[in-house]
Structure formats: C-alpha cells, structure tokens
Amino acid sequence: MLSVENINAELNTKFLARKIIYLPETSSTNTEAWKYIEDKTMNGSLIITDYQTSGKGRRKNAWSSFPGKSLTFSIILFAKDYSSKLSIFPLLTGISIVNGILSSIYIQTGLKWPNDIMLSRKKMGGILIESKLLDNNPVTVIGIGLNINEQIVNFPNSIKNHATSLSIYSKKQFNRERILAEILNEFEVMLYKDTDEIITLWEKNCIHNNSCVSFHSENKKYNGIFQGIGEDGYARIKINENIKKFSSGLITL
Ligand code: BTN
C-alpha cells in the first residue's frame, strides 16, 4: 500500500503535491480530480490510488492497472499562471517522468511522441492531459500511469507484447513513493523552465528523433522522418522533402 508519509518524506516541492488525496481504490484519478476544480486551494494537488478500476487512456482507450503495483495519479493545475506552457504540458510532463525515474532508480527511459514513456522500445507509461475553461481560466488535470512492479502475468493479453514495467526490465522491485516524489520534484522545476529548453530536453530524450516513423493522423497514414518539435509544440515530420506539422497523431516505430 502507498504511504502518504513516505511520499512527503521525499518531496522537496514548494506547492506541488503539498495536498495529497490518497484513495485505496477509485475508478479514475482524473475523474476524481475534476471534482475539485471549483476549489482554487487545490492548485498543485495530487490525487493518487493503489487501484484504478476504470483508468482512461488517450484516444478513448482504457488504461489498465494491477492493484498495488503501479503508479496511477493526477495533478490538478489552475493553469492561468502557466498558460504560455499549456501546449507543451505533455512534453514537460514526459521529461519530468524520465528525469525522475533516472534520479531515483538510475534507469534510463525514453519518450515517444506525444505522450508515451518507453523502455526497451515497449510502453511503460502514458500521460493523459485534460483541460477545461472555468470562468475563462484554464484548468488542467495531468494524469499519469506508470508500470512499476508489474510482472508480465499482471498485464492483460491485449498489451502483453507491447507493454513493460521497470520491474520486468530490471528484475527488481521498486519503492513507488520514491519514484513518484522525484517525478514531482522534477515537474515543479520544469514548470519554470523556458519553452525552448523544454523542447530541447524533450528531443534529447525522444527515442525516434531524426528517425523514420509511420504516422497516423485524421485517418491518414504517412511515412516520414521525425524532425523534432516546433516552438508551438507541434511535431515536425519530413514527408517527401516537405515538413508537415501535427498537433496530434499516433506514431508506429
Ligand atoms: C495513455 O497512454 O493512453 C495515457 C494513459 C494515462 C493513464 C493515467 S493513470 C492516472 C490517470 N487517470 C486516468 O484515468 N488516466 C490517467
């Protein structure tokens, strides 16, 4: 079982996760987080569970998690103060996860555009960012799911070939609170970095930068060379000598 005390012991943030709502079981931490959006004192709060029973993924997919093995959590941000960064929240979140895992357990993970955390070319985590306007101000819920101590038998058959966990990769068990706290410590630092720096860091950690990729967007499939991220946060893909920009899509490596 996750311990809020152990999370606090490793946190060195000023405002992030200074309020923690721990739920032994819930349908989705993102859904839970939206219940608090009228309460401005919840800025930076963390909602976390040991067992997410109906997790939401991107593109209307489900996110499955095995009880007590993973990290499934959401951060509430009243994003007015960071509105210039809204479009790069997925990038900023991805780098915080990669850096947090590296500094806590010395495993190098990588990023796949737009929102995947990768380990030996398999998916070990994902990010679901949901935003709404409340009285004309953006409110954002950043949902993160990370496979930490799962074994292959804990994954549903449908994802067994494409998913991995830190434990499957290293054959070790990890302290989830320590990894979480390091990710949150990194996240708060990233919030104050310039967009240029975040983009450069993201590209450095991307596992397919300057490589050939297959790309699906709006029911079309393209083959091209991934050429990093523009200032607007859009992916740049070179297709037949022309650079095309995409705000969303799905990359196959
Ligand atoms: C994806 O790769 O499709 C994104 C997965 C995001 C899953 C996390 S788990 C915590 C939070 N609550 C949810 O219901 N989803 C996100």
Side-chain angles (χ1 to χ4, degrees):
M1 202 175 106
L2 285 160
S3 143
V4 171
E5 206 184 326
N6 291 351
I7 300 171
N8 280 325
E10 306 274 352
L11 264 186
N12 53 38
T13 55
K14 286 202 175 73
F15 87 101
L16 198 68
R18 285 297 155 200
K19 233 180 232 174
I20 299 178
I21 297 179
Y22 167 74
L23 302 161
E25 179 176 331
T26 192
S27 58
S28 152
T29 55
N30 269 35
T31 306
E32 192 63 33
W34 283 114
K35 295 183 184 164
Y36 297 95
I37 56 156
E38 308 258 337
D39 179 357
K40 297 268 181 337
T41 68
M42 291 296 280
N43 189 27
S45 297
L46 173 76
I47 320 286
I48 185 158
T49 187
D50 254 311
Y51 185 26
Q52 186 170 252
T53 53
S54 258
K56 298 186 281 181
R58 288 181 64 237
R59 306 160 72 87
K60 302 211 164 82
N61 289 324
W63 182 261
S64 71
S65 23
F66 197 79
K69 301 267 184 191
S70 58
L71 280 171
T72 43
F73 60 98
S74 303
I75 300 164
I76 302 171
L77 276 187
F78 292 96
K80 190 168 153 236
D81 299 345
Y82 325 102
S83 49
S84 64
K85 299 242 167 61
L86 259 180
S87 65
I88 57 158
F89 268 164
L91 311 182
L92 186 157
T93 307
I95 305 162
S96 309
I97 295 169
V98 170
N99 285 356
I101 293 174
L102 188 61
S103 60
S104 56
I105 57 164
Y106 314 109
I107 291 180
Q108 181 71 63
T109 52
L111 298 165
K112 175 167 162 283
W113 191 80
N115 287 20
D116 292 348
I117 315 301
M118 306 295 287
L119 187 56
S120 38
R121 296 184 87 76
K122 293 187 171 181
K123 181 159 168 167
M124 70 132 297
I127 304 164
L128 175 69
I129 300 191
E130 299 176 308
S131 291
K132 286 182 191 167
L133 280 179
L134 188 71
D135 302 330
N136 265 336
N137 291 319
V139 187
T140 299
V141 170
I142 299 180
I144 300 174
L146 301 173
N147 302 328
I148 310 288
N149 288 325
E150 292 89 341
Q151 301 309 310
I152 288 279
V153 289
N154 301 140
F155 290 138
N157 283 337
S158 54
I159 64 166
K160 270 188 176 141
N161 291 334
H162 325 283
T164 192
S165 72
L166 292 170
S167 187
I168 292 167
Y169 172 81
S170 65
K171 301 188 176 58
K172 291 183 187 156
Q173 293 286 303
F174 296 102
N175 177 314
R176 289 177 294 156
E177 290 92 333
R178 172 143 175 67
I179 298 171
L180 170 68
E182 281 300 322
I183 292 170
L184 296 167
N185 292 339
E186 287 286 338
F187 192 99
E188 194 175 272
V189 173
M190 288 296 157
L191 272 178
Y192 300 103
K193 291 216 186 278
D194 288 340
T195 299
D196 286 0
E197 196 180 344
I198 289 169
I199 290 174
T200 307
L201 283 170
W202 193 92
E203 288 173 346
K204 255 196 202 155
N205 286 289
C206 170
I207 61 167
H208 53 74
N209 206 23
N210 297 316
S211 306
C212 288
V213 291
S214 287
F215 184 73
H216 299 254
S217 180
E218 287 166 5
N219 293 328
K220 284 193 192 141
K221 186 180 168 192
Y222 309 88
N223 289 311
I225 299 176
F226 191 90
Q227 303 240 290
I229 309 286
E231 276 171 24
D232 43 16
Y234 284 22
R236 294 154 47 85
I237 302 186
K238 195 170 174 186
I239 301 164
N240 301 329
E241 295 311 309
N242 297 315
I243 304 273
K244 272 183 85 88
K245 296 212 260 172
F246 296 92
S247 63
S248 67
L250 180 72
I251 281 182
T252 320
L253 299 175

